[in-house]
Amino acid sequence: MDAAAFRALVQRLEPGAAARPGLYKARVAALAALGYGYLLGMLVLLTATSVILIVAGRGLGVKAAIPLLVVVGAALRALWVPVSPPEGMALREADAPQLFALVRTLGRRLRAPRVHTILVGSDVNASVTQVPRLGVFGWYKNYLLVGLPLLRAVSPEEWQAILAHELGHLSGNHGRFGSWIYRLRATWSRLLEQFERRRTTVGTLVFGQFFERFIPYFTAYTFVLARAHEYEADAAAADVVGAETARRALARSQVAGHVAEQFWTGVRQSVTQTPEPPRDAHRRLGAALGAGATPDDAAAWLRQAWTSPTDYADTHPALADRLRALGWPPAGAAPEPPGPPRPWDGTSAAQTYLGEAAERIERALDERWLREVAEAWRKQHGEFAKARERLAALEQRPVESLSPAEDWERVRLNAVLGEEERADRYAAALLARAPDYAPVQVYVGQRLLERGDTSGIAFVERGMSDPDLILHGCGTLFQFHWSRGEVAEAERYRERAIERRRELREGEAERNRVTRDVRFAPHDLSAEQVAAVREVVERIPELEGGAVFLARRLVQYLPERPCYVVGLAPKTRWWRRRNEKQEVQLRHRIAEQLPGPALLYVFLLTGKLKGLRSVLERIEGARLM
């Protein structure tokens, strides 16, 4: 089920769920029973058949039952997919007794199941995850993931609201059926993800089609209930700390997310200057979150979030809808977002609930982050050094001597290296000199949209005349319209992006599949490109005495992207048996060595494709050796 079909199904189900919630829940329960019934039914059927064969057929029956029992065992292994817990540092109660006490207190108040493990992470976020020990059959272990940066950013009361929301997803006070569906929905989704990752022949045969049809449908059907459960979790938070504190927690979390994003953007940009990553990034992030945003920045971020509508890509409602459900704006007031949350006095939630452990955790997060990024950071720093050298060489040349592609490279390198004002200046000059150059049209349009200037839409649209820029342009225009609440326009670009991705998938599949009815034409590569291909294939010992062909393939999908084929016909010996594994290895080895910029697809003219050799022989200029 693609995104458009999913959204259409959810929109069709929402009115019925609102009008007759009892009937809708009954239908969801029936769907859940169908899922369990199929899984159990298939296992019982296979097992019973095996038993009957063994009892009735004796010796022969045992032999006939063995394959079925193998299927049962393989099916159980396919279902018994281990679901990994969320990533984070496990916290001991001795490290943060106040936090553990708060979790227990709120859990009892909300009638939520026990949290078995508390983890600390590095995101501005908090979440509760239930990991089933028995796959779709449940027996859950509950994890609470706490983002240390979030605790640095909020007050103790606001943290209580956030924690109450997360525990509210499991609360018995707000409907056990909703909590059960919330767990089951996540379990089925994780099971499908793991099944796709560890797909086996037997598992696919017995459960493949059912999973691929049932789970997306079940996910869409329960989407309405899952979104309602988000509102119920917000209500749980309001019950605990009051609606005003719950609203303030939502607003401050929104602002904190932007502060963290700005911080990490600055850290990533510093790779252009320093060969080593900062050793105290998380400590500095905590300080930035504790200081908070400027009132102007916070107001702008909240206003942007206020105008963004609720999407069907996420069960979480938009900020505006969540605030309205919590009583904002007050009756009779203008429909405006709340003002920026005022700085809180006193200690942060991290100081209150983690105490001295917060600094130890921060150091551990920094050490882990350094291990993860150090090597890539050094490599990227070296690449930026080369970019500076290339930029210096370009800027030494007169502008009129630069081709549009070289001038665009100058714009792009300045932007990558953080010289945005200079990049904008160069882009404006390039647009005046080459007004139809698509990359600079999209760049200028995007910069205008970032400043709220709607004239940028036309620039991006014109730049999307280059098929390679369609996805980037659609993403830019979707985000712009969505942030302004212009849903219809945003959806138009989302649909266009979905269609483009479909075309790209079809095009890639077509190019990777060769049959005997493929049509070819003479290639149009330069003499230098042909010589580079010939140099590679002449070095391959397995091709000595054989033939190599280079031609352009005529394709149905993405015809604007030329498809070039290198056909290999190794010399065959009548006494040597064909080895398909070695042929595949040969094909991959040659493909890795072939030069760009043309995209070359390599195939061996053996087996079923042997007849293509005579076709390529007739293509002018196709034979290389």
Side-chain angles (χ1 to χ4, degrees):
M1 186 182 296
D2 60 25
F6 179 88
R7 185 169 63 254
L9 178 56
V10 172
Q11 289 173 335
R12 181 166 57 85
L13 294 171
E14 283 178 321
R20 305 181 70 179
L23 177 61
Y24 188 82
K25 287 182 179 180
R27 294 172 69 182
V28 172
L31 268 178
L34 173 64
Y36 278 118
Y38 180 85
L39 296 179
L40 293 171
M42 289 300 298
L43 292 175
V44 169
L45 177 63
L46 291 171
T47 304
T49 304
S50 302
V51 171
I52 292 172
L53 286 172
I54 293 172
V55 173
R58 298 185 180 179
L60 291 176
V62 171
K63 291 183 179 180
I66 288 175
L68 290 179
L69 291 173
V70 170
V71 170
V72 171
L76 286 171
R77 287 195 300 273
L79 286 176
W80 227 263
V81 178
V83 178
S84 302
E87 293 185 3
M89 298 171 50
L91 196 62
R92 298 177 303 172
E93 184 164 2
D95 295 326
Q98 293 88 349
L99 177 61
F100 278 78
L102 177 65
V103 171
R104 283 195 294 267
T105 299
L106 291 182
R108 286 194 297 268
R109 180 168 178 177
L110 295 169
R111 296 167 56 209
R114 181 169 70 94
V115 171
H116 298 97
T117 302
I118 299 179
L119 304 172
V120 181
S122 57
D123 294 330
V124 185
N125 192 23
S127 62
V128 166
T129 301
Q130 292 193 299
V131 175
R133 297 179 177 99
L134 303 181
V136 295
F137 301 110
W139 192 29
Y140 296 95
K141 185 173 182 180
N142 303 316
Y143 292 85
L144 170 64
L145 178 61
V146 177
L148 177 59
L150 178 61
L151 290 177
R152 292 289 197 196
V154 300
S155 69
E157 295 77 16
E158 292 162 353
W159 167 243
Q160 291 174 23
I162 294 168
L163 180 57
H165 171 95
E166 297 305 327
L167 295 177
H169 282 303
L170 314 178
S171 171
N173 290 341
H174 295 272
R176 292 190 179 277
F177 181 81
S179 298
W180 175 62
I181 289 297
Y182 181 85
R183 292 194 300 268
L184 191 60
R185 188 172 188 273
T187 299
W188 279 102
S189 297
R190 285 194 294 266
L191 183 63
L192 178 61
E193 177 185 345
Q194 295 289 342
F195 179 80
E196 290 293 341
R197 189 180 303 167
R198 301 176 55 188
R199 182 183 287 269
T200 63
T201 303
V202 174
T204 301
L205 179 66
V206 179
F207 298 108
Q209 286 195 351
F210 175 77
F211 277 3
E212 290 168 3
R213 291 175 178 270
F214 172 80
I215 295 179
Y217 189 78
F218 181 77
T219 302
Y221 226 89
T222 56
F223 186 93
V224 177
L225 295 180
R227 177 163 288 171
H229 212 257
E230 293 295 337
Y231 288 114
E232 291 174 1
D234 280 344
D239 287 345
V240 171
V241 299
E244 181 181 352
T245 303
R247 293 194 299 264
R248 193 170 65 247
L250 285 174
R252 199 181 304 277
S253 298
Q254 186 76 30
V255 172
H258 284 281
V259 172
E261 184 180 353
Q262 276 192 340
F263 173 83
W264 286 117
T265 298
V267 169
R268 287 191 293 270
Q269 288 176 345
S270 68
V271 72
T272 65
Q273 305 293 334
T274 60
E276 296 291 333
R279 307 189 68 83
D280 60 346
H282 286 87
R283 183 190 63 78
R284 289 161 49 193
L285 171 61
L289 290 166
T294 66
D296 288 344
D297 282 345
W301 291 331
L302 287 174
R303 184 168 296 279
Q304 180 184 11
W306 180 263
T307 57
S308 296
T310 292
D311 193 9
Y312 288 92
D314 186 4
T315 57
H316 286 82
L319 178 67
D321 290 338
R322 296 178 72 179
L323 292 176
R324 290 189 190 101
L326 290 170
W328 183 270
E336 294 289 329
R342 291 173 296 182
W344 35 262
D345 298 324
T347 60
S348 68
Q351 293 169 308
T352 300
Y353 292 109
L354 293 180
E356 295 179 357
E359 293 185 4
R360 294 198 303 272
I361 295 168
E362 218 161 45
R363 288 194 297 270
L365 290 175
D366 274 328
E367 291 171 2
R368 185 179 69 179
W369 182 74
L370 280 170
R371 288 194 300 270
E372 292 174 351
V373 307
E375 184 177 349
W377 184 286
R378 297 184 193 105
K379 181 179 179 181
Q380 193 173 15
H381 179 76
E383 292 172 353
F384 277 119
K386 294 178 182 177
R388 288 188 184 281
E389 293 176 3
R390 173 60 177 163
L391 179 60
L394 289 171
E395 293 193 330
Q396 286 176 358
R397 293 171 54 185
V399 175
E400 57 272 13
S401 72
L402 299 175
S403 68
E406 291 172 324
D407 205 353
W408 164 244
E409 186 181 8
R410 193 171 63 141
V411 174
R412 184 180 57 79
L413 289 174
N414 272 289
V416 166
L417 293 169
E419 302 291 341
E420 292 186 345
E421 291 186 9
R422 184 182 297 174
D424 290 349
R425 213 166 48 244
Y426 288 165
L430 173 57
L431 189 64
R433 187 162 72 98
D436 295 328
Y437 192 67
V440 79
Q441 288 176 329
V442 172
Y443 176 86
V444 169
Q446 186 169 338
R447 297 292 286 168
L448 289 170
L449 294 177
E450 288 172 0
R451 296 192 286 269
D453 188 340
T454 57
S455 65
I457 297 173
F459 284 102
V460 177
E461 278 280 9
R462 289 202 295 273
M464 288 162 64
S465 61
D466 182 344
D468 289 337
L469 296 175
I470 290 176
L471 284 179
H472 178 74
C474 285
T476 298
L477 294 174
F478 172 84
Q479 290 296 337
F480 177 74
H481 287 295
W482 192 264
S483 68
R484 293 161 61 95
E486 297 165 355
V487 177
E489 285 298 308
E491 291 293 350
R492 185 164 67 87
Y493 289 108
R494 172 148 53 189
E495 293 298 330
R496 187 172 175 187
I498 290 171
E499 175 60 23
R500 181 59 180 172
R501 290 192 188 97
R502 186 194 65 78
E503 292 174 352
L504 292 172
R505 286 196 304 270
E506 296 283 0
E508 186 64 21
E510 180 185 27
R511 285 158 169 75
N512 282 307
R513 183 178 62 249
V514 172
T515 58
R516 286 173 289 187
D517 58 353
V518 170
R519 295 182 299 127
F520 298 102
H523 67 76
D524 52 3
L525 298 177
S526 66
E528 291 79 9
Q529 290 173 313
V530 174
V533 174
R534 182 181 286 111
E535 182 182 354
V536 169
V537 296
E538 285 178 345
R539 294 198 304 262
I540 306 300
E542 293 92 331
L543 297 178
E544 186 177 352
V548 177
F549 302 89
L550 174 62
R552 181 165 59 90
R553 178 180 174 181
L554 303 180
V555 292
Q556 176 183 355
Y557 296 98
L558 308 177
E560 73 278 2
R561 293 186 176 184
C563 176
Y564 301 100
V565 170
V566 177
L568 309 174
K571 186 175 182 180
T572 58
R573 272 77 172 178
W574 62 268
W575 67 85
R576 182 174 296 173
R577 189 176 180 181
R578 182 185 172 204
N579 188 317
E580 293 187 18
K581 183 178 180 180
Q582 290 180 359
E583 289 181 354
V584 170
Q585 292 173 345
L586 173 64
R587 175 186 166 188
H588 289 167
R589 192 168 84 246
I590 295 174
E592 290 172 356
Q593 297 180 49
L594 289 173
L599 189 58
L600 302 169
Y601 292 83
V602 181
F603 293 96
L604 274 91
L605 305 177
T606 56
K608 294 181 180 179
L609 301 182
K610 191 174 182 179
L612 290 179
R613 173 169 180 166
S614 61
V615 177
L616 289 167
E617 292 275 14
R618 296 193 293 269
I619 302 297
E620 183 181 355
R623 183 152 186 168
L624 298 184
M625 59 177 281

